[in-house]
């Protein structure tokens, strides 16, 4: 009898639940939508992410993809915590004050705010069924750019601190027949190498545990193509990039029902975080985008968004500069530099950047073994100081920039002797130097003050310093902080990055106009979290043009060309020994933010004049390269041994086309490609630029073609030898 009553009650309950329509929460941009359904006190369901729908109403009468509403348990959650029947990688795992290690999040409410004409914020509020633990999942939709940025805030009013074992920034469940993951791996001087792989059941993880230089080995960005390998112009592709400069973890868990569970966020490794009652914990933002027309659009979405929201001065053109590093390294005096400035001005270069080696007196920075931390000008090398050099540059009509590495210290420095407690170390354990240097503990507010003051003091050396190159040349090992309490050492990873961002914030508030380059032994800190405070990034210490084609290809999948510092260096190349023509080196660097990094007097014969012309040429195409839309035409990873791309101005009136030969091709082989991104109904004149000795590679040079022809029939170029290259200006007439 009792059982019958119970069954009857259960039925009533189920009918009641069925009767109640779930709330449909849609997050929409111009072309894309993410949809969740939720009922108060029940788990919220992740329903959909893809092309924008005509209407979202149908979700109300359906469970997940047509399943009955009562199957809620099996549906992917909006933000699955460890607890209940969630056996997969959790988005949140917490130990409550009483030692309970499970959490079950249910829906409370949601709220939408129009931030401005382009941005809408949706906050979905969840809470634990039992404990006063609250999780807000935030989505900011950027309408025009088709970007959604997602992050999470957590707080609680349990009696004692809780411990967050892991917390993701975003969770995305996808369902398709197969999944192709593209990710970018590498090492020093070999960053952002592309790898695409078909995922199999199990979990593929991309992560860093290095704390600083966290993107040198793997970038926290990915492309995910459904059912087929990603191609430029067709197919469903998802893109994600974590805006975080510390340890991260992206996991792709292909589960037993064929769903791919994509979890992105900070790395939970050795990173338990004690959260006090009332304290709010905020995760980094995960930047997400989707395209139904291939990965080319994914890159253009990221670039547009970055130039508007995650790059300093993203609407301005970046200057052409000469950097002193590969031309002088640590050995220079005032004359070496003023000679370089003279040459730079003569080339038409717009800024001179004095790299490493200018500071330290008691411990002079004559090599990488001393001086870091002592940010006073070396009076022996530069007796008239930085101001003299900066004024000198300005008197020659060019700007002046300078290098710093303020998070670091050499054991051989005044700073290391004065503040041993500021150095990251595991208690009494020896700290191994890396590049002869140690890391300062940015979780400590005093160190944050020191780093911010270093920036101010360096700028104060001359009103004519208008550019800073900020470097960071080691990562974290034997982690530990004298500032954090012994039982909270695992907070270090989070607090270091927060400390760094705090410094960036302060600097930006005080010096909004200064241009800053993001560098970490090359591209060791390449993520949107850091990039938003910077004007550009140094993609790699490898300046060899052939390698740069691959590094720039990878970097520009997510980060815009405008921000990609690309320098012409000497030949043979200092990193690889490879000999390449000067034209090739220019043509590769011109596809990013062109600069030079060599001793100008090393240019031989007509090279000097050629360089001058190259710089002039770049000035002509710079607005299109830096502010236009990128269309990749031929990947350097294709077997044919060519690579090609183009930038098209937003109004489609101008385009700049680049093509490179990466190897020897048969004499009869011509490089052929179709253009992209032009207006089929307009006519364009093609002019070959940056030619050497009047040699052209395109027989149609100077002729007019329709956009339709260029995109359907294409062009053919005579660039068959290794390191042949071609730059074409495509101008509407
Ligand atoms: C790093 C940077 C280089 C250069 C050197 C100076 O390696 O990536 O560009 O600034 O440091 O020491």
């Amino acid at each position: 009898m009792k059982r019958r009553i119970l069954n009857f009650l259960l039925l009533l309950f189920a009918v009641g639940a069925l009767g109640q329509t779930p709330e449909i929460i849609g997050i929409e941009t111009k072309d894309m939508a993410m949809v969740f359904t939720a009922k108060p006190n029940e788990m919220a369901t992740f329903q959909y992410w893809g092309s924008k729908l005509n209407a979202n109403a149908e979700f109300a009468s359906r469970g997940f993809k047509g399943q009955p509403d009562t199957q809620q348990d099996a549906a992917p959650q909006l933000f699955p915590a460890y607890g209940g029947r969630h056996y997969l990688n959790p988005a949140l795992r917490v130990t409550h004050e009483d030692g309970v290690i499970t959490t079950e999040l249910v829906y409370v409410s949601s709220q939408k705010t129009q931030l401005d004409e382009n941005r809408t914020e949706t906050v979905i509020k969840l809470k634990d069924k039992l404990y006063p633990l609250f999780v807000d999942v935030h989505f900011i939709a950027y309408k025009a750019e088709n970007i959604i940025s997602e992050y999470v805030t957590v707080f609680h009013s349990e009696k004692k601190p809780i411990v967050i074992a892991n917390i993701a920034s975003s969770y995305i469940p996808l369902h398709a027949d197969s999944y192709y993951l593209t990710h970018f791996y590498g090492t020093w001087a070999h960053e952002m190498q592309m790898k695409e792989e078909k995922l199999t059941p199990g979990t593929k993880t991309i992560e860093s545990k290095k704390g600083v230089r966290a993107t040198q080995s793997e970038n926290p960005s990915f492309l995910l193509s459904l059912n087929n390998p990603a191609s430029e112009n067709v197919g469903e592709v998802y893109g994600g990039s974590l805006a975080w400069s510390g340890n991260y973890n992206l996991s792709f868990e292909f589960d037993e029902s064929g769903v791919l569970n994509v979890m992105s966020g900070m790395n939970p490794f050795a990173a338990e975080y004690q959260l006090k009652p009332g304290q709010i914990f905020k995760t980094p933002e995960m930047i997400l985008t989707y395209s139904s027309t291939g990965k080319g659009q994914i890159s253009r979405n990221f670039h547009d968004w970055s130039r508007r929201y995650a790059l300093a001065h993203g609407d301005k053109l970046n200057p052409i500069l000469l950097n002193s590093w590969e031309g002088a390294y640590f050995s220079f005096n005032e004359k070496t530099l003023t000679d370089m400035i003279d040459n730079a001005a003569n080339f038409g270069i717009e800024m001179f950047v004095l790299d490493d080696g200018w500071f330290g007196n008691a411990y002079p920075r004559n090599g990488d073994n001393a001086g870091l931390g002592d940010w006073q000008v070396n009076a022996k090398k530069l007796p008239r100081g930085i101001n003299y050099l900066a004024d000198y540059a300005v008197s020659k009509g060019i700007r002046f920039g300078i290098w710093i590495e303020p998070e670091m210290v050499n054991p051989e420095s005044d700073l290391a002797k004065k503040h041993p407690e500021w150095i990251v170390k595991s208690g009494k354990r020896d700290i191994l130097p890396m590049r002869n240097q140690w890391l300062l503990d940015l979780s400590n507010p005093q160190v944050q003050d020191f780093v911010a003051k270093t920036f101010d003091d360096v700028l104060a050396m001359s009103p004519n310093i208008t550019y800073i190159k900020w470097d960071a040349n080691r990562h974290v090992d034997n982690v530990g902080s004298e500032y954090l309490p012994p039982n909270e050492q695992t907070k270090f990873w989070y607090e270091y990055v927060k400390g760094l961002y705090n410094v960036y914030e302060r600097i930006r508030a005080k010096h909004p106009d200064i241009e800053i380059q993001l560098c970490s032994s090359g591209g060791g800190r390449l993520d949107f979290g850091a990039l938003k405070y910077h004007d550009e990034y140094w993609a790699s210490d490898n300046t060899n043009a052939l390698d740069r084609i691959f590094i720039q290809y990878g970097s520009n999948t997510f980060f815009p060309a405008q921000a990609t510092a690309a320098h012409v260096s000497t030949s043979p190349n200092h990193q690889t020994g490879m000999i390449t023509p000067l034209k090739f080196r220019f043509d590769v660097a011109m596809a990013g933010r062109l600069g030079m990094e060599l001793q100008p007097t090393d240019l031989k014969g007509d090279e000097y004049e050629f360089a001058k012309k190259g710089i002039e040429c770049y000035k002509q195409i710079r607005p299109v390269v830096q502010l236009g839309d990128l269309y990749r035409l031929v990947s350097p990873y294709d077997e044919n041994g060519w690579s090609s791309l183009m930038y098209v101005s937003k109004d489609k009136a101008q385009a700049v086309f680049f093509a490179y030969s990466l190897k020897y091709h048969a004499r009869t082989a011509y490089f052929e490609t179709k253009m992209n991104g032009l207006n089929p109904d307009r006519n364009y004149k093609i002019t070959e630029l940056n030619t050497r000795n009047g040699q052209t590679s395109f027989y149609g040079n100077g002729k007019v073609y329709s956009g339709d022809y260029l995109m359907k029939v294409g062009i053919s170029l005579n660039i068959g030898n290794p390191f042949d290259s071609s730059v074409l200006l495509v101008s509407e007439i």
Side-chain angles (χ1 to χ4, degrees):
M1 187 63 187
K2 260 190 188 165
R3 198 182 177 92
R4 266 205 213 146
I5 293 172
L6 189 68
N7 279 347
F8 179 69
L9 285 176
L10 276 176
L11 186 73
L12 268 187
F13 181 74
V15 169
L18 273 176
Q20 195 190 350
T21 13
E23 199 178 317
I24 303 165
I25 307 163
I27 290 150
E28 292 182 340
T29 64
K30 185 162 62 73
D31 306 309
M32 148 182 127
M34 218 181 243
V35 182
F36 307 101
T37 52
K39 291 180 189 174
N41 298 317
E42 289 186 18
M43 287 181 306
T45 304
F46 194 119
Q47 291 281 4
Y48 174 76
W49 179 23
S51 292
K52 200 163 170 173
L53 300 150
N54 294 334
N56 291 340
E58 282 160 84
F59 287 102
S61 55
R62 298 167 50 178
F64 182 63
K65 292 199 176 175
Q67 287 172 355
D69 201 26
T70 43
Q71 291 290 308
Q72 267 266 328
D73 271 7
Q77 291 181 56
L78 160 64
F79 200 73
Y82 176 68
R85 292 209 175 137
H86 188 77
Y87 312 112
L88 302 168
N89 246 338
L92 178 72
R93 190 163 75 80
V94 158
T95 303
H96 298 275
E97 47 126 353
D98 59 1
V100 165
I101 60 168
T102 59
T103 297
E104 288 184 289
L105 294 177
V106 291
Y107 178 66
V108 179
S109 64
S110 76
Q111 182 188 320
K112 231 177 231 311
T113 317
Q114 191 73 38
L115 301 175
D116 53 40
E117 89 296 341
N118 196 43
R119 297 178 307 147
T120 314
E121 180 173 23
T122 307
V123 183
I124 302 180
K125 292 182 173 296
L126 310 173
K127 71 171 287 293
D128 187 77
K129 266 184 180 168
L130 223 51
Y131 292 83
L133 168 71
F134 306 91
V135 175
D136 289 355
V137 188
H138 302 247
F139 299 87
I140 300 177
Y142 297 82
K143 191 172 166 196
E145 296 81 14
N146 287 311
I147 293 277
I148 293 174
S149 118
E150 181 176 352
Y151 69 94
V152 175
T153 47
V154 180
F155 63 99
H156 70 95
S157 52
E158 298 187 22
K159 288 190 196 80
K160 286 189 270 167
I162 63 166
V163 179
I164 301 175
N166 68 284
I167 179 161
S169 295
S170 82
Y171 165 65
I172 307 289
L174 296 170
H175 204 172
D177 290 339
S178 53
Y179 311 96
Y180 291 82
L181 171 70
T182 305
H183 58 106
F184 296 83
Y185 71 95
T187 179
W188 176 77
H190 194 59
E191 297 88 340
M192 293 302 276
Q193 304 296 304
M194 182 172 81
K195 184 85 199 162
E196 180 167 39
E197 56 198 272
K198 187 175 179 182
L199 295 175
T200 54
T203 304
K204 167 88 191 176
T205 300
I206 288 165
E207 65 170 353
S208 173
K209 301 197 207 75
K210 290 182 173 166
V212 178
R213 287 205 308 205
T215 71
Q216 197 169 58
S217 315
E218 271 279 1
N219 195 273
S221 308
F222 66 85
L223 303 176
L224 204 52
S225 176
L226 301 192
N227 304 325
N228 289 296
S231 69
E232 287 299 328
N233 305 311
V234 293
E236 285 198 280
V237 185
Y238 294 82
S241 191
L242 187 71
W244 187 244
S245 311
N247 291 353
Y248 62 84
N249 184 293
L250 312 178
S251 84
F252 302 85
E253 190 172 9
F254 190 149
D255 72 19
E256 60 194 276
S257 51
V259 172
L260 186 69
N261 301 272
V262 184
M263 198 68 76
S264 313
M266 294 178 310
N267 200 330
F269 181 80
E272 293 79 15
Y273 197 94
Q274 297 76 6
L275 190 70
K276 297 190 185 89
Q279 196 188 338
I280 297 176
F281 186 91
K282 183 177 172 213
T283 70
E285 290 181 47
M286 183 67 188
I287 315 302
L288 299 162
T289 187
Y290 163 82
S291 157
S292 59
T293 54
K295 65 176 176 173
Q297 193 56 47
I298 293 279
S299 299
R300 291 186 288 278
N301 292 351
F302 276 123
H303 296 171
D304 284 346
W305 176 81
S306 174
R307 281 187 292 232
R308 195 164 169 191
Y309 298 105
L311 188 64
H313 315 119
D315 53 348
K316 290 210 197 102
L317 298 177
N318 276 339
I320 305 168
L321 59 86
L322 173 68
N323 179 298
S324 68
W325 181 240
E326 286 196 28
Y329 293 108
F330 293 105
S331 343
F332 55 80
N333 56 27
E334 201 176 80
K335 175 140 187 346
T336 328
L337 302 178
T338 50
D339 283 355
M340 281 178 121
I341 291 171
D342 288 343
N343 276 302
N346 194 29
F347 277 139
I349 279 177
E350 298 155 331
M351 177 156 60
F352 176 74
V353 177
L354 172 55
D355 210 285
D356 199 351
W358 59 267
F359 49 91
N361 286 299
Y363 301 95
R365 182 75 171 168
N366 293 327
D368 63 17
N369 59 327
L372 275 182
D374 301 347
W375 299 103
Q376 296 79 35
V377 66
N378 180 298
K380 223 169 175 183
K381 272 183 181 169
L382 303 172
R384 283 183 279 188
I386 295 299
N387 196 32
Y388 172 78
L389 285 174
D391 284 355
Y392 187 84
V394 169
S395 76
K396 297 288 166 180
I398 66 175
R399 294 169 48 195
F400 186 84
I402 196 162
W403 178 96
I404 53 173
E405 197 185 356
E407 297 156 76
M408 305 284 169
V409 60
N410 281 124
E412 294 299 303
S413 68
D414 284 331
L415 183 71
K417 320 269 177 234
K418 199 168 156 205
H419 284 294
E421 79 285 8
W422 284 2
I423 292 156
V424 173
K425 56 180 165 310
S426 291
K428 295 198 169 51
R429 210 179 284 290
D430 283 348
I431 346 164
L432 301 172
M434 187 179 291
R435 207 195 187 209
N436 300 308
Q437 67 197 54
W438 293 330
L439 178 67
L440 296 177
D441 176 9
L442 268 178
S443 73
N444 181 341
Q446 277 185 358
V447 176
Q448 293 168 25
D449 290 347
F450 170 80
V451 174
K453 185 170 180 308
T454 299
F455 195 95
D456 290 348
D457 290 351
V458 167
L459 279 186
M461 292 190 302
S462 166
N464 282 325
I465 299 175
T466 53
Y467 173 104
I468 296 282
K469 172 174 174 176
W470 181 309
D471 209 342
N473 284 312
R474 70 160 289 158
H475 41 259
V476 187
D477 48 28
N478 275 346
V479 65
S481 161
E482 277 191 38
Y483 171 75
L484 294 171
N487 60 347
E488 294 186 15
Q489 291 289 301
T490 48
K491 280 183 165 178
F492 175 84
W493 306 108
Y494 181 76
E495 295 300 338
Y496 185 93
V497 182
K498 281 288 176 199
L500 177 68
Y501 290 175
N502 174 13
V503 173
Y504 286 160
E505 287 284 343
R506 287 160 64 177
I507 285 169
R508 273 305 178 199
K510 205 160 169 186
H511 311 287
D513 299 331
I514 295 292
E515 286 172 31
I516 312 177
Q517 185 188 77
L518 174 63
C519 175
S520 180
S521 312
R525 188 180 268 166
L526 181 52
D527 66 86
F528 285 123
L531 190 61
K532 85 170 181 212
Y533 301 100
H534 297 78
D535 295 75
E536 60 171 27
Y537 63 94
W538 183 226
S540 179
D541 276 354
N542 186 345
T543 55
N544 185 35
L546 178 64
D547 299 305
R548 271 296 183 131
I549 289 176
F550 290 87
I551 293 167
Q552 289 169 203
Y553 181 91
S555 306
N556 294 150
T557 302
F558 304 94
F559 309 100
Q562 176 194 22
T564 312
H567 296 175
V568 172
S569 61
T570 198
S571 183
N573 180 269
H574 287 186
Q575 294 80 38
T576 64
M578 191 178 276
I579 295 170
T580 55
L582 187 59
K583 171 174 164 56
F584 181 66
R585 282 176 270 149
F586 260 96
D587 288 356
V588 172
M590 285 204 288
R593 194 280 286 136
L594 175 74
M596 292 185 84
E597 185 152 338
L598 45 67
Q599 174 52 264
T601 50
D602 286 347
L603 294 172
K604 298 282 172 304
D606 67 346
E607 286 188 331
Y608 197 94
E609 282 312 306
F610 181 81
K612 242 174 136 164
K613 270 180 33 212
I615 285 159
E616 212 177 285
C617 167
Y618 184 71
K619 288 180 183 166
Q620 184 186 0
I621 61 172
R622 171 165 48 185
V624 182
V625 171
Q626 294 198 7
L627 303 176
D629 287 330
L630 168 67
Y631 289 86
R632 288 179 293 260
L633 304 174
V634 176
S635 161
Y637 291 89
D638 286 359
E639 278 166 20
N640 290 339
W642 277 294
S643 170
S644 179
L645 67 151
M646 62 194 283
Y647 296 97
V648 183
S649 65
K650 291 280 173 194
D651 62 3
K652 297 193 183 290
Q654 259 206 353
V656 186
F657 166 98
F658 296 90
Y660 312 105
S661 169
L662 314 184
K663 64 172 196 189
Y664 172 72
H665 298 85
R667 273 183 58 197
T668 44
Y670 276 72
F671 170 62
E672 286 179 21
T673 187
K674 291 169 184 162
M675 292 194 180
N676 201 351
L678 302 171
N679 184 329
D681 302 326
R682 295 193 202 159
N683 290 321
Y684 296 91
K685 181 178 174 187
I686 298 197
T687 315
E688 184 156 358
L689 302 177
N690 210 32
T691 55
R692 189 105 201 248
N693 307 322
Q695 273 175 20
T696 52
S697 61
F698 180 51
Y699 294 110
N701 188 23
K703 296 210 176 91
V704 173
Y705 300 86
S706 67
D708 191 46
Y709 178 94
L710 292 170
M711 294 194 290
K712 285 183 181 154
V713 182
I715 58 166
S716 152
L717 299 171
N718 183 12
I719 47 165
N721 278 336
F723 315 134
D724 277 353
S725 56
S726 174
V727 183
L728 307 176
L729 181 68
V730 184
S731 300
E732 188 185 356
I733 52 152

